[in-house]
Amino acid sequence: MLKEFYKPNSIAEAIGLKMRLGADTYYLAGGTELNSLDFKKPVKYLISIEKLGLNKINKTDEYLSIGAGLTIQELIDKPEIPKQLKTAASHIVNRNIRNIGTLVGNIGANKSCSNLIPILLALDAELTTATPTGEQKLRIEDFVKDKKDELIVSVNIKQKKILKSFAVKKYSRTANDISIITSAVVLEKVDNKVKDISIAVGGVDKCVIRLRELENKLKDKELRQKEEIEGIIKNMVNPIADIRGSAEFKKYMCAVLVVDCIFEAFKN
Ligand SMILES: Cc1cc2nc3c(=O)[nH]c(=O)nc-3n(C[C@H](O)[C@H](O)[C@H](O)COP(=O)(O)OP(=O)(O)OC[C@H]3O[C@@H](n4cnc5c(N)ncnc54)[C@H](O)[C@@H]3O)c2cc1C
């Protein structure tokens, strides 16, 4: 049961509180995940991020830095946000959730079927996190894999990655349902060959994963046949069966979505 709710005015105060309050303490962004009936862990203390000013967007020649506290709808509405992130954000169920749920909450919730994490992984995004000794840069891939617990301040994407061609896809039972499989590809083509490729999928493991083995098989070569790539993917992923689909079905959908992403990104 919730005992206390805090609204710190600074990042230093927020991380100080988190350290002092200890276990069962959570940062609160939009609360769509923390307040949902699916959230089964005990919550004793909540630390709101509302007053921490985590909603700025900064551009340099090298990086686009997106304030982690932006809502998902703001990602769609703000002109500074690149198309690949807007597309992924538009895949999130409906405007009610998008108006309240945030970029940071999506990463913090770390759901296997997240709609935002695949494109962030494919773009090799880095997180700026706040620690008692100062700010730290962390690859988002490491954050989701290791289930880190630090306060995320911003999401940083290299400008040269943003310029590469991309595709983002999802499969859900209805338009207004959480996705079953999510997929994103970022690709560079030179002389009709795949020069560089990053492939991320959600819904087939405990968290969103990169398909590095497949990336290596495709790099520096002409694109293989669709059926051949689908076969490789099916041997590579091991989704679990649940109420939303059998393992075989998810494997099949994953292969189809990833191949569609690869071919779409290759064509662009
Ligand atoms: C009905 C419903 C539909 C949904 N549909 C989708 C969907 O289509 N696609 C999808 O991807 N997700 C979906 N979700 C999951 C989730 O609600 C969203 O991913 C949303 O982005 C979470 O953001 P939030 O701001 O509400 O997070 P919160 O609930 O506030 O927090 C979520 C997690 O992030 C942590 N957190 C918050 N701030 C920080 C911070 N600064 N640093 C580190 N950790 C932090 C919290 O402690 C918590 O563990 C859905 C959830 C619900 C209830």
Side-chain angles (χ1 to χ4, degrees):
M1 201 180 84
L2 184 65
K3 278 188 168 174
E4 279 163 21
F5 175 79
Y6 295 86
K7 223 181 213 189
N9 290 308
S10 69
I11 289 176
E13 195 187 339
I15 43 183
L17 277 166
K18 182 91 159 59
M19 277 171 63
R20 180 166 68 74
L21 297 168
D24 306 334
T25 304
Y26 291 88
Y27 293 120
L28 174 74
T32 58
E33 182 63 22
L34 284 171
N35 288 321
S36 94
L37 293 175
D38 284 346
F39 195 81
K40 304 283 187 220
K41 295 183 200 152
V43 180
K44 269 197 206 154
Y45 306 104
L46 282 176
I47 304 168
S48 167
I49 63 160
E50 191 184 328
K51 291 188 181 171
L52 305 184
L54 306 183
N55 54 1
K56 299 180 186 74
I57 301 173
N58 289 313
K59 258 184 179 176
T60 64
D61 287 347
E62 207 186 341
Y63 276 100
L64 173 70
S65 172
I66 305 167
L70 286 180
T71 66
I72 292 157
Q73 190 59 40
E74 283 173 322
L75 297 179
I76 297 173
D77 294 340
K78 289 203 179 276
E80 305 94 311
I81 301 298
K83 202 170 155 212
Q84 39 278 68
L85 215 50
K86 285 185 190 293
T87 311
S90 72
H91 288 171
I92 290 183
V93 285
N94 56 51
R95 201 161 179 136
N96 296 343
I97 292 291
R98 295 200 299 262
N99 277 340
I100 306 171
T102 60
L103 171 61
V104 74
N106 198 280
I107 300 167
N110 200 1
K111 287 193 170 290
S112 168
C113 56
S114 158
N115 290 106
L116 293 183
I117 297 175
I119 187 63
L120 295 173
L121 243 67
L123 287 166
D124 286 321
E126 278 179 3
L127 304 177
T128 302
T129 60
T131 71
T133 51
E135 286 193 343
Q136 182 184 296
K137 294 267 191 284
L138 202 65
R139 283 171 357 123
I140 185 165
E141 194 177 358
D142 296 332
F143 187 94
V144 298
K145 204 167 57 193
D146 302 340
K147 298 194 189 312
K148 301 253 187 205
D149 199 22
E150 285 128 26
L151 176 76
I152 303 168
V153 175
S154 64
V155 177
N156 314 295
I157 306 167
K158 283 203 172 118
Q159 298 282 11
K160 64 176 185 201
K161 272 275 176 184
I162 294 173
L163 295 176
K164 295 191 180 186
S165 63
F166 73 93
V168 181
K169 297 202 182 286
K170 62 140 189 174
Y171 174 78
S172 58
R173 288 176 295 190
T174 67
N176 195 16
D177 194 8
I178 291 189
S179 300
I180 296 174
I181 305 289
T182 53
S183 161
V185 166
V186 171
L187 182 148
E188 189 182 343
K189 180 166 90 174
V190 174
D191 295 337
N192 217 33
K193 285 185 180 168
V194 177
K195 171 89 175 66
D196 193 20
I197 185 164
S198 310
I199 305 166
V201 279
V204 295
D205 212 317
K206 288 195 178 72
C207 62
V208 177
I209 53 166
R210 279 276 290 268
L211 298 185
R212 290 193 191 278
E213 212 184 310
L214 177 60
E215 291 171 11
N216 291 335
K217 283 183 194 290
L218 299 178
K219 253 181 227 168
D220 294 319
K221 297 188 184 82
E222 283 177 7
L223 205 50
R224 299 177 186 214
Q225 295 293 312
K226 280 188 174 183
E227 295 71 22
E228 196 187 339
I229 307 176
E230 280 179 8
I232 298 172
I233 297 168
K234 284 180 192 160
N235 284 328
M236 219 171 250
V237 295
N238 286 301
I240 53 159
D242 60 17
I243 192 166
R244 300 192 305 147
S246 66
E248 269 315 298
F249 173 70
K250 290 185 189 177
K251 234 179 220 225
Y252 171 81
M253 283 314 302
C254 172
V256 169
L257 279 196
V258 171
V259 167
D260 281 355
C261 277
I262 294 170
F263 276 74
E264 187 178 310
F266 191 79
K267 201 174 66 186
N268 290 335

